[in-house]
Amino acid sequence: ESANEFRTQRDSLTQKLHDTESRNSTLEAQLGDLEQRLEGIQLERETFRKSLRSLLELLDSKIFELTELRDTLAKLIEGS
Amino acid sequence: ESANEFRTQRDSLTQKLHDTESRNSTLEAQLGDLEQRLEGIQLERETFRKSLRSLLELLDSKIFELTELRDTLAKLIEGS
Amino acid sequence: ESANEFRTQRDSLTQKLHDTESRNSTLEAQLGDLEQRLEGIQLERETFRKSLRSLLELLDSKIFELTELRDTLAKLIEGS
Amino acid sequence: ESANEFRTQRDSLTQKLHDTESRNSTLEAQLGDLEQRLEGIQLERETFRKSLRSLLELLDSKIFELTELRDTLAKLIEGS
């Protein structure tokens, strides 16, 4: 092969490499974004679960209080 | 004493007896009324108690259903 | 009629009056008892009703608190 | 430059391009995985939200039934 052909190949490869590296950067940025989004979602989910757990405890105490009320009513009926 | 005196006493006693018997009838009627009223009140009370017992059973089932709902929520939180 | 007959009638009436007055006293005592019992029952009933009213207020507040909990859950679901 | 130099550059570029393309494939695979994971999480979240909405409706009906029970109690107290 002649020097000319090698140069043509080199230039073509340089261009291709440049394009591939550019695509690479784009992919890395997308991956970073997605990872951050995923992390955000998992944090949200944890916060949501904590709120639901507080709600569950509140519901527990309401059920307990209704049960006390029920017992008071039962005693009233038997004692009346 | 003379026959006249005895007659006067007899007539006075007859009148007194009549009054006392009349008062007696009044008292017996009042007693009858009161006994019926008392019976009515006790029947009412029994009916009232029965209604309250139905209500208590209903309250029991609502507490049971809230407890089931609470368990479903707990499972959802743990499984999420 | 002779004085003897009048005396016999007087004595018989005296005995009858005595019996009727005695029965009268018994009736009055029974009536008094019954009236007191009735009053007692009505006081009990009033006390019972007051206790039930307190219970009703407590039930109202529990329903209110469950409704608040329900609203919190609704907001959590919509905001999640 | 000589043909030799061009050839050396071409070979070096070919290697570099190969590495970059390989890295590219890896990134694309990671991105695909992450996107699928995110989609899975969002489906889960939607399912979870639906379950919570069913639970909310159930809670609504329980509150409604407790309110009916409360009204029945109120009427009983007033009518007793």
Side-chain angles (χ1 to χ4, degrees):
Chain A
E1 289 168 290
S2 68
N4 245 4
E5 274 174 54
F6 286 133
R7 187 164 55 191
T8 305
Q9 286 173 0
R10 187 205 61 182
D11 291 348
S12 161
L13 280 165
T14 300
Q15 184 55 39
K16 235 182 177 171
L17 182 61
H18 187 258
D19 292 350
T20 306
E21 279 170 347
S22 164
R23 165 86 181 130
N24 223 317
S25 296
T26 306
L27 285 174
E28 272 167 348
Q30 287 182 349
L31 207 61
D33 280 357
L34 224 57
E35 272 162 357
Q36 249 182 336
R37 230 178 112 195
L38 202 70
E39 207 182 327
I41 285 175
Q42 272 155 351
L43 278 174
E44 259 179 50
R45 205 156 82 160
E46 206 40 57
T47 305
F48 188 49
R49 255 156 103 157
K50 268 184 202 156
S51 304
L52 285 179
R53 275 200 204 95
S54 302
L55 215 109
L56 186 66
E57 277 177 36
L58 204 59
L59 182 56
D60 277 342
S61 69
K62 291 313 132 201
I63 291 172
F64 179 76
E65 287 158 16
L66 277 176
T67 306
E68 284 187 319
L69 188 152
R70 178 240 167 265
D71 291 345
T72 306
L73 181 57
K75 272 177 208 150
L76 268 177
I77 295 171
E78 291 326 305
S80 72
Chain B
E1 289 166 289
S2 68
N4 245 5
E5 273 176 58
F6 285 135
R7 190 166 53 193
T8 306
Q9 285 175 0
R10 187 203 61 178
D11 291 348
S12 160
L13 281 164
T14 300
Q15 182 57 39
K16 233 180 179 174
L17 182 61
H18 187 258
D19 291 353
T20 306
E21 278 170 348
S22 165
R23 165 89 180 126
N24 224 315
S25 295
T26 306
L27 287 173
E28 273 168 348
Q30 287 182 349
L31 206 62
D33 280 357
L34 223 58
E35 272 163 356
Q36 250 183 334
R37 230 177 112 197
L38 201 70
E39 209 183 323
I41 285 174
Q42 271 155 351
L43 278 175
E44 259 181 50
R45 203 156 84 163
E46 206 40 56
T47 305
F48 189 49
R49 254 157 106 157
K50 268 184 203 157
S51 304
L52 285 179
R53 276 198 203 97
S54 301
L55 215 110
L56 185 66
E57 277 176 37
L58 204 61
L59 183 55
D60 276 341
S61 69
K62 291 313 134 201
I63 291 173
F64 179 75
E65 286 158 15
L66 277 175
T67 306
E68 283 186 320
L69 188 153
R70 177 242 168 264
D71 291 345
T72 306
L73 181 57
K75 273 175 208 150
L76 268 178
I77 296 171
E78 292 326 306
S80 73
Chain C
E1 289 167 291
S2 69
N4 245 4
E5 275 175 55
F6 285 135
R7 188 165 53 191
T8 305
Q9 286 174 358
R10 187 204 63 181
D11 292 351
S12 159
L13 281 165
T14 301
Q15 182 56 37
K16 236 182 176 173
L17 182 61
H18 187 259
D19 291 351
T20 306
E21 279 170 348
S22 165
R23 164 89 181 127
N24 222 317
S25 295
T26 307
L27 286 173
E28 273 167 349
Q30 286 182 349
L31 207 62
D33 280 358
L34 224 58
E35 272 163 356
Q36 249 182 335
R37 230 177 112 196
L38 202 70
E39 208 183 324
I41 284 174
Q42 271 156 350
L43 279 174
E44 260 179 49
R45 204 155 82 161
E46 206 39 59
T47 306
F48 188 50
R49 253 156 105 158
K50 268 184 202 155
S51 304
L52 285 179
R53 275 200 204 93
S54 301
L55 216 108
L56 186 66
E57 277 177 34
L58 203 60
L59 183 56
D60 277 342
S61 70
K62 290 313 133 200
I63 290 172
F64 180 75
E65 286 158 15
L66 277 175
T67 307
E68 284 187 319
L69 188 152
R70 178 242 168 264
D71 292 344
T72 306
L73 181 57
K75 271 176 208 147
L76 268 176
I77 294 170
E78 292 326 305
S80 71
Chain D
E1 288 165 287
S2 70
N4 245 3
E5 275 176 54
F6 287 135
R7 189 163 56 190
T8 304
Q9 286 175 0
R10 185 204 63 181
D11 291 349
S12 159
L13 279 163
T14 299
Q15 183 57 38
K16 233 181 176 172
L17 181 61
H18 187 259
D19 291 351
T20 307
E21 277 169 349
S22 165
R23 164 88 181 129
N24 222 315
S25 295
T26 305
L27 285 173
E28 273 166 348
Q30 288 182 349
L31 207 61
D33 281 356
L34 224 58
E35 272 162 357
Q36 251 182 335
R37 230 177 111 195
L38 202 70
E39 207 183 325
I41 285 174
Q42 271 155 351
L43 278 174
E44 258 179 51
R45 202 156 84 162
E46 206 38 59
T47 305
F48 189 49
R49 253 157 105 157
K50 268 184 200 156
S51 304
L52 284 179
R53 275 199 204 95
S54 301
L55 215 110
L56 186 66
E57 277 177 36
L58 204 60
L59 183 55
D60 277 342
S61 68
K62 291 312 132 200
I63 290 172
F64 180 75
E65 287 159 14
L66 278 175
T67 306
E68 283 187 318
L69 188 153
R70 177 242 169 264
D71 291 345
T72 306
L73 182 57
K75 273 175 208 149
L76 268 177
I77 295 171
E78 291 326 306
S80 73

